[in-house]
Amino acid sequence: MSDFAPLSLHVPAPPSREENAPVDTSRLSPAGAVRRPPVDADPQDIRDLAYSLIRVLDDDGSAKGEWAPALDTDVLRGGLRAMMKTRAYDQRMMRMQRQGLTSFYMQCTGEEAVACAFQSALQKGDMNFPTYRQQGLLIAQDWPVVDMINQILSNSADRIKGRQLPVMYSAKEAGFFSISGNLGTQYIQAVGWAMASAIRKDTKVAAAWIGDGSTAESDFHAALVFASVYRPPIILNVVNNQWAISSPQSMAGGERTTFAARAHGYGIPSLRVDGNDYLAVNAVASWAVERARRNLGPTLIEWVTYRVAPHSTSDDPSKYRAKDASAAWPLGDPIIRLKAHLVSRGEWSEERSVQLEAELDQEIAAAAQEARRSGTLHDGPKQSPATMFEDVYKDVPRHLREQRQKLGY
């Protein structure tokens, strides 16, 4: 007779659809409460920053604490515009998908500050290795929206020639590496790119992006091993938006600790940040980018945010979470929060927001109309089937030339 009870596994219980609390509020910190260490701080001296939450904006829109960046009003207005434009773009693309003009789309509603504010800390030549919810990285640098919509529509003007799923953009000139549907792979690629930058004695840094769910993939840990050993100039971003499709972040290991804390086992400095606070994102991103550019090695940042929209147009979140769960999100809407900050400074108004929203909607609508002239999912010009044989080999091998000829191309 055994003295022990039968063994059992612990399986994290997802929140019920009636439960409205999407985050453990015990892991939050008041605005301005978290210290700002020197950029060359030893990882061992800032271990606590992986468990607190760096916040700058309080509930009244005031900037608090050591992390508050001294940003010009024009910069803040530009950040607000970028986030509002990103949301307007998402809304237009969702409408086009519902109209049957494209097959698929993924929004970043509620997460706009993460990409838009982070991009403001980078320089031309730096390289992002994004997932499929960082369209703000392109929009924040005024990348042509028509080019993005062409990719969504897979039309004759699509620079990827219809070879990628919609939303998987690629723009080398914008420092936007081709998105991979296997979301963990770009983490390793980003570390390799950063290593190459150091080997070339360059000054460019890389930014890797991954979601909370994909941190459970082995690629994530392989990337951290190389980053910890070779200390390349890279920022390792983990966007914790609480859901990996229908799986809560607890299923990826976020139940008893933070995702930022995973860096400790690799000796990599890490910080946990309010991802819905534009000022906090800008400040921490600038800190980490400076650290990388000073050859001080990698930094891992967990951006705590919330996926307000469905995972994609193929998803129905009402089947696994409360319909009004996002209303209980304690960190608010990034656009509303930055707008409140500008209003508190006397540099913005509700009237200007309404006007800007209308202007951006017209701008996106005009871009969509222009892109549609190059074709949509069912109508208009398409890429020639001959392009399937291009851009794979420098010199096309004989068997592919023969296949192309048999097709009449």
Side-chain angles (χ1 to χ4, degrees), residues 161 163 387-397 400:
K161 302 179 182 178
R163 297 167 177 162
T387 60
M388 76 173 74
F389 299 98
E390 299 173 356
D391 305 324
V392 179
Y393 296 93
K394 180 177 181 293
D395 299 310
V396 181
L400 288 186

Side-chain angles (χ1 to χ4, degrees), residues 220-338:
F220 172 79
H221 298 278
L224 263 62
V225 169
F226 276 81
S228 66
V229 172
Y230 296 104
R231 302 177 191 173
I234 189 168
I235 301 89
L236 300 158
N237 297 291
V238 177
V239 182
N240 179 8
N241 65 11
Q242 314 305 311
W243 291 94
I245 310 183
S246 59
S247 299
Q249 54 95 29
S250 58
M251 291 299 296
E255 184 176 42
R256 294 190 176 181
T257 188
T258 68
F259 292 101
R262 292 189 176 180
H264 290 166
Y266 298 93
I268 296 175
S270 60
L271 308 93
R272 189 167 173 265
V273 186
D274 178 352
N276 286 23
D277 181 339
Y278 187 94
L279 270 66
V281 176
N282 171 273
V284 176
S286 298
W287 186 91
V289 169
E290 180 182 352
R291 186 179 178 93
R293 230 179 283 282
R294 285 191 181 188
N295 207 35
L296 296 171
T299 303
L300 187 144
I301 307 172
E302 177 187 349
W303 306 106
V304 181
T305 182
Y306 192 70
R307 196 198 78 207
V308 174
H311 175 73
S312 72
T313 50
S314 302
D315 177 43
D316 179 7
S318 67
K319 295 186 179 301
Y320 55 84
R321 70 184 189 192
K323 291 184 178 180
D324 58 349
S326 61
W329 175 243
L331 300 180
D333 184 308
I335 293 177
I336 294 175
R337 291 177 66 187
L338 183 56

Side-chain angles (χ1 to χ4, degrees), residues 66-289:
E66 300 175 5
W67 283 100
L71 298 178
D72 293 338
T73 299
D74 287 345
V75 173
L76 292 174
R77 288 175 181 160
L80 180 61
R81 186 182 192 281
M83 290 196 293
M84 291 178 66
K85 184 174 180 179
T86 301
R87 188 165 296 183
Y89 173 76
D90 275 354
Q91 291 170 347
R92 178 67 56 173
M93 294 305 100
M94 281 292 293
R95 197 177 312 159
M96 292 177 71
Q97 192 277 335
R98 297 309 189 204
Q99 293 171 342
L101 301 175
T102 185
S103 60
F104 184 78
Y105 192 71
M106 304 181 79
Q107 299 168 268
C108 65
T109 307
E111 304 177 39
E112 294 91 351
V114 175
C116 292
F118 188 93
Q119 181 61 41
S120 67
L122 297 177
Q123 297 178 4
K124 187 174 179 57
D126 296 334
M127 183 63 72
N128 280 295
F129 288 74
T131 69
Y132 40 53
R133 229 178 288 277
Q134 276 83 53
Q135 49 266 54
L137 294 172
L138 289 169
I139 292 175
Q141 54 183 307
D142 289 326
W143 187 254
V145 173
V146 173
D147 184 78
M148 299 172 67
I149 301 176
N150 286 335
Q151 196 280 325
I152 296 292
L153 300 179
S154 299
N155 61 25
S156 61
D158 175 14
R159 63 167 56 212
I160 312 177
K161 302 179 182 178
R163 297 167 177 162
Q164 273 276 39
L165 186 74
V167 310
M168 295 192 178
Y169 316 99
S170 178
K172 181 179 180 180
E173 311 94 299
F176 196 97
F177 202 84
S178 301
I179 296 177
S180 169
N182 300 314
L183 293 180
T185 58
Q186 74 274 9
Y187 234 57
I188 302 173
Q189 296 162 359
V191 172
W193 191 97
M195 289 172 62
S197 181
I199 291 170
R200 292 194 304 265
K201 305 297 182 184
D202 206 339
T203 60
K204 306 299 187 296
V205 305
W209 297 86
I210 205 168
D212 51 284
S214 294
T215 63
E217 298 287 341
S218 58
D219 292 340
F220 172 79
H221 298 278
L224 263 62
V225 169
F226 276 81
S228 66
V229 172
Y230 296 104
R231 302 177 191 173
I234 189 168
I235 301 89
L236 300 158
N237 297 291
V238 177
V239 182
N240 179 8
N241 65 11
Q242 314 305 311
W243 291 94
I245 310 183
S246 59
S247 299
Q249 54 95 29
S250 58
M251 291 299 296
E255 184 176 42
R256 294 190 176 181
T257 188
T258 68
F259 292 101
R262 292 189 176 180
H264 290 166
Y266 298 93
I268 296 175
S270 60
L271 308 93
R272 189 167 173 265
V273 186
D274 178 352
N276 286 23
D277 181 339
Y278 187 94
L279 270 66
V281 176
N282 171 273
V284 176
S286 298
W287 186 91
V289 169

